[in-house]
Structures are given as C-alpha cells and as structure tokens.
Amino acid sequence: MDKKTHRKTGLHLIMKQKNVLKNIIMLYGMSIAKIVFPLLTLPYLTRVLSVESYGVVSYVKAVMQYLQIAVDFGFMLSGTKDIVNAKADHAKLEKEVGDILLARILLAAAAFVALLGMIAVIPLLRTNIEYTLLAFVTVFLSVFLFDYFFQGIEKMQVIALRFVTMRGIATAMTFVFVHSDKDVLLVPLLDAVGSLVAVLLVFVEVKKENIAIRFSGVKAAWKKLRDSFVYFASNMATTAFGALNTLLIGAFLPATEVAYWSVCMQLIGAVQTMYTPIIDGVYPEMIRTKSWDFIKHLLMIFMPIVFAGSAFSIVVAPYVLQIVGGKQYVAATPLFRLLVPVLTFSFPAVVLGWPTLGVLNKAAQVTKTTILSAIVQLGGLLGLIVTGRFTVLWIAVFRCITEFVLLVSRGWYCWKFRREFSK
C-alpha cells in the first residue's frame, strides 16, 4: 500500500481497507450473536433456577474463564501474527498450525490438573464437582477451534459460523431440557455438545483450506509457549478485572451477591463484546501498516458512540435488569450504574493495546500496563477485605479505577513511541 493511501483520513480510510471492513462486519455478526444468545438464556436461567443455583453457575463460569485463558495462552494474538507471517509459505503454515495445536493440548492437560487442585481446596467446586468437570469439557474442545488460524488468513466468517452454531445449539437445547435446579447439570453438558459440533465444522473448513496439520515436535511447541507467554501474561492479568472479582465475591459474600454481580457483569460484557470485532478486524491490517492515522480516526469515529451508549445505559439500567433477570435483580441497579464507566474507558484502552502498541513489538509495554492495572485492582480488593468494606459496590468502584489506569498508561506509551508509527 503506497503512502498516498495512508494519508487518507476519516471513515474513507477504513472503507478503503476492504478486507478490514469485511472482517469487522463478519465479527460484528458474531458479536451480536454473543450478546443475543446469553441474553436469551440469562432471563430464562434466572427464572427457572434459584438465585443460589444461578450463583453456582456463575461461579464455575468464572473459574472456567481462568482456565480458558490458560489454554488460549495468548495464541489469538501471537498465533495470528505467526499465521499472517507464514501465509506465503504453505508448508510453514501447516507447521505453525500443528505446533500451536500441540502447545494448546499440553496447556489443556495442565489446566485439568490445576482444576483438580482447585476442586480439592474450594468448597463450592467440591460440592458441585460433576458440574465443574462437565464445564471443563468445553474449555478442552476450544483447543480444536483454530480461531487464530482463520483470523490470520482473514476468513472471519468461519469463526462467526462456528460460534453461532456452538451457541445456537446450546441455547436451543437449554430451553428444551433445563427447567429447574435438578436440571442444572445439563447446562455445561449442552455447552459441550454445541462445542463438539462446532469443532467438527471447523475441521471441515481446515480441510477446505488444504491444511494438513504437521507437528514439529514438543520442542517446537515449547518454543511457541515461550513466544506467546507475554500475551498470556497480559490476558491473565486482564482477567483479574472480572473473573477474580467473582471468585472473591463467592468466597466472602453470599451466593445472591455472586448472582447480582454476575448479571451486571454479563450486561457490561455484552456491550464490550461489540468492541471486539473492531479490534480483531483491524489487528491484521495494523500488523501490515502500523498506521497511527488509522487508529486515530478509528477512535474519532467510535468514541462518540461509546459515550452516548454509556449515558443511555445509566438511564435504562433498572428496566434492563428487570427484563433480563426479573424483578429480583432490580436491586442490582446501583451496582450496574457504578460499572458503566468501564464501558467508556475500555474501548480506547483495548484499541491502544495489542492493535496499536502490540504491532510495534511493544508487547512488554502492553503487558506492563495490564499488570499495573491488575496490581491496582488486587490492592484495592485486599484493602477492602482488610478494612471490612468488601461489598459489590466498592468492588465496582475499583473496577472502574483499574480500567482508567489501563487507558492512561497505554495512552502514555503510545505518546512515548509515537515516532515509530507509519504516517
């Protein structure tokens, strides 16, 4: 792409990148599905399950988030970069896919051992061991979804199709088979069934791409783990903002508080899901161009929408909670409103992360900002526990503070390395 093209501004700059626009559209379709499916099952589960049972479902889900990040190990970023760089060499491409697959299988085995340890020491998991083990099946099957491969070759429609299939099957069967607390074990089982169907469809797509998965050996897989560790560290630190809060709430507060927190965070997460297609869509393009103008105009276009959406969320909070969770969840309105600033800060924070600093090979700086924010979060949580103020409202306040710290620190690094971007 010549310099003249890079100077084009505004929406026209994005429109000129046809693959980026196509990928963003496909990923937006998937993101809408990510919002629709949980919002279909959430009101249903909160009504057919007791608040205590839904608290268990939410708690195990938080544990699985940690294990999923361990199994993913940042390969959605490092693996995508490897695939982009290897696209011109088919033999190398096949080895990249195989080496990452072997690395993730090893990670899944380690995650399962860690889960057994958690079951031994955490009472809530121990008393719901069948549910916990069934939930891990979906984490294991994610090893075979190859999202990093399809993002690297810029065929996001495959990722979108497998997600819609996976969640669509699980959602439909949830309505059919889950009717009360006695059916709660079917929730993770149906998720696993949907994931298995998605894996089969993905293997069909891999075959269409004429990819014969080749393994270079454990040594090559270990190298992949070392190379991706910095991405994993950043993603794991990010999880401290969400899943760790749920884990601690479950350890110190009643199951009803876990349920309130989880419903609010699921709504916040649903909005944040709309950010993901933009980030994933521009990432391959930024790997190639490293254009600061591209990022600048992206923020200029989308930040007014983010501000308007955040304000709207504050106004409609009680109505949304009643629709989604039922009357018993309207009491969580103050909590939800305190969490809304997360929506405002998180979009520019993630844009300035891997799609911006990451493509300049500033992975260490991206990770530092995430770890710094996680330390602020952990410090705040410990302070609340020590002072006896460990409530969901105070946790929400610190959740907003940490997101702001993440944004400011990444913005500072972007300014520091501004001369390394393409013009």
Side-chain angles (χ1 to χ4, degrees), residues 94-146:
E94 291 177 334
K95 287 184 178 180
E96 293 286 358
V97 174
D99 293 343
I100 295 173
L101 175 60
L102 180 57
R104 296 194 68 200
I105 291 173
L106 295 174
L107 289 168
F112 182 69
V113 173
L115 178 61
L116 294 178
M118 295 175 71
I119 290 172
V121 299
I122 300 176
L124 193 149
L125 297 181
R126 190 164 58 250
T127 55
N128 296 276
I129 186 170
E130 297 90 350
Y131 187 99
T132 304
L133 293 176
L134 281 172
F136 182 76
V137 174
T138 299
V139 175
F140 175 73
L141 290 174
S142 70
V143 168
F144 305 99
L145 291 176
F146 302 108

Side-chain angles (χ1 to χ4, degrees), residues 253-295:
L253 298 175
T256 53
E257 295 292 286
V258 177
Y260 290 152
W261 175 268
S262 297
V263 168
C264 289
M265 287 307 301
Q266 191 160 345
L267 291 172
I268 295 293
V271 178
Q272 288 178 309
T273 299
M274 301 300 291
Y275 303 162
T276 304
I278 303 170
I279 307 306
D280 290 346
V282 304
Y283 184 61
E285 178 68 14
M286 282 297 292
I287 291 174
R288 287 191 295 268
T289 65
K290 300 178 175 61
S291 171
W292 173 247
D293 284 342
F294 191 88
I295 293 297

Side-chain angles (χ1 to χ4, degrees), residues 110-367:
F112 182 69
V113 173
L115 178 61
L116 294 178
M118 295 175 71
I119 290 172
V121 299
I122 300 176
L124 193 149
L125 297 181
R126 190 164 58 250
T127 55
N128 296 276
I129 186 170
E130 297 90 350
Y131 187 99
T132 304
L133 293 176
L134 281 172
F136 182 76
V137 174
T138 299
V139 175
F140 175 73
L141 290 174
S142 70
V143 168
F144 305 99
L145 291 176
F146 302 108
D147 284 359
Y148 59 89
F149 169 71
F150 292 107
Q151 180 162 308
I153 64 173
E154 298 184 74
K155 291 194 174 181
M156 311 301 188
Q157 67 272 18
V158 177
I159 302 175
L161 174 63
R162 69 88 184 158
F163 178 83
V164 171
T165 301
M166 179 173 66
R167 296 310 309 161
I169 291 173
T171 299
M173 290 196 297
T174 296
F175 288 126
V176 174
F177 296 109
V178 180
H179 304 295
S180 66
D181 285 356
K182 66 182 178 64
D183 302 319
V184 72
L185 284 178
L186 291 177
V187 175
L189 180 61
L190 297 177
D191 284 342
V193 171
S195 295
L196 181 60
V197 174
V199 167
L200 295 176
L201 291 175
V202 165
F203 269 101
V204 171
E205 293 297 330
V206 170
K207 187 175 182 180
K208 287 181 181 178
E209 295 297 327
N210 195 30
I211 296 295
I213 299 173
R214 303 182 187 278
F215 301 100
S216 302
V218 175
K219 186 176 180 180
W222 180 249
K223 184 179 184 302
K224 288 295 180 186
L225 292 173
R226 292 201 310 270
D227 293 343
S228 194
F229 177 77
V230 65
Y231 299 95
F232 161 72
S234 178
N235 289 339
M236 182 56 81
T238 301
T239 309
F241 300 161
L244 179 60
N245 293 329
T246 304
L247 291 176
L248 290 177
I249 291 170
F252 290 95
L253 298 175
T256 53
E257 295 292 286
V258 177
Y260 290 152
W261 175 268
S262 297
V263 168
C264 289
M265 287 307 301
Q266 191 160 345
L267 291 172
I268 295 293
V271 178
Q272 288 178 309
T273 299
M274 301 300 291
Y275 303 162
T276 304
I278 303 170
I279 307 306
D280 290 346
V282 304
Y283 184 61
E285 178 68 14
M286 282 297 292
I287 291 174
R288 287 191 295 268
T289 65
K290 300 178 175 61
S291 171
W292 173 247
D293 284 342
F294 191 88
I295 293 297
K296 181 175 65 176
H297 292 295
L298 189 76
L299 291 173
M300 289 174 63
I301 291 168
F302 286 103
M303 280 310 297
I305 300 173
V306 171
F307 282 121
S310 298
F312 181 74
S313 298
I314 292 174
V315 174
V316 301
Y319 309 105
V320 172
L321 286 168
Q322 182 169 348
I323 292 171
V324 171
K327 291 182 178 179
Q328 64 269 36
Y329 286 90
V330 175
T333 298
L335 173 61
F336 180 78
R337 284 173 170 165
L338 279 175
L339 286 167
V340 167
V342 172
L343 299 176
T344 307
F345 302 143
S346 61
F347 178 74
V350 294
V351 168
L352 297 180
W354 294 115
T356 305
L357 289 170
V359 300
L360 295 182
N361 294 319
K362 306 299 180 184
Q365 284 73 19
V366 176
T367 302

